[in-house]
Amino acid sequence: MMIRNAHAARWLLTAGALALAGCEPEVEDPAAHACEHVSEAGTAVTASDVMDANTPEIVLGEEPHTVTLAAATPGYVRVEIEGDTAALLFAGTADVVQGLFHGTEEESLPEPSPNDLCAEDIPEHYDLDFHEAGSYYLELLSAQGGDVWLLLSSAEGHGHE
């Protein structure tokens, strides 16, 4: 087997050594992961003006999304959750995330804070607790419109679990 990616090769060597020693590989801190990937556009999504089954989805995972927003009107992206899940939402632009809805019910959106590891690149992150399975919607708003970088990841390995 030929490994072309140096990062993947290091991870495989580390994971293999830990497995031989009877240890599980350490989980990467999501905040550090977000800083490493902030320069990647990721999956392109155009926010919807409605919250329904056709609203574009962003996926909980390790890959970022670039969401296109209309100027001065709210846009929505959908997140599908299978059960009680702690997650982190990283935003590359401040003051864009305006609300969180579970179905049509508005949820409490926690106060944002910068990603301390790269605050200039990721001025806001949110510790989100999705307590029930279902469709959640993020309300996004930008006065000038344009694109916003988002990364929604598991909170595993993060100090705010």
Side-chain angles (χ1 to χ4, degrees):
M1 170 172 77
M2 186 168 155
I3 300 174
R4 297 176 191 254
N5 182 319
H7 178 72
R10 281 192 305 277
W11 186 89
L12 281 173
L13 287 173
T14 302
L18 290 171
L20 288 174
C23 301
E24 292 293 320
E26 190 173 313
V27 175
E28 180 181 23
D29 179 7
H33 180 81
C35 292
E36 291 171 7
H37 293 275
V38 72
S39 64
E40 299 172 13
T43 303
V45 173
T46 299
S48 174
D49 59 349
V50 295
M51 295 184 292
D52 63 21
N54 296 319
T55 301
E57 183 178 359
I58 63 170
V59 179
L60 179 74
E62 297 184 7
E63 298 301 319
H65 296 79
T66 297
V67 181
T68 301
L69 302 172
T73 60
Y76 301 92
V77 292
R78 179 173 46 93
V79 179
E80 291 298 326
I81 300 297
E82 294 182 9
D84 193 12
T85 303
L88 297 167
L89 176 65
F90 298 95
T93 306
D95 301 322
V96 170
V97 180
Q98 300 294 307
L100 174 66
F101 296 83
H102 183 209
T104 58
E105 297 295 318
E106 187 166 10
E107 298 273 319
S108 169
L109 189 63
E111 286 295 316
S113 63
N115 182 342
D116 292 334
L117 301 177
C118 56
E120 289 184 20
D121 294 324
I122 303 176
E124 289 187 346
H125 93 278
Y126 297 83
D127 294 346
L128 301 177
D129 288 315
F130 300 108
H131 293 294
E132 297 177 33
S135 297
Y136 288 81
Y137 300 91
L138 292 168
E139 181 181 46
L140 309 171
L141 179 63
S142 172
Q144 68 273 11
D147 295 337
V148 62
W149 180 92
L150 298 176
L151 175 65
L152 181 65
S153 66
S154 169
E156 185 176 345
H158 186 64
H160 296 148
E161 289 183 82

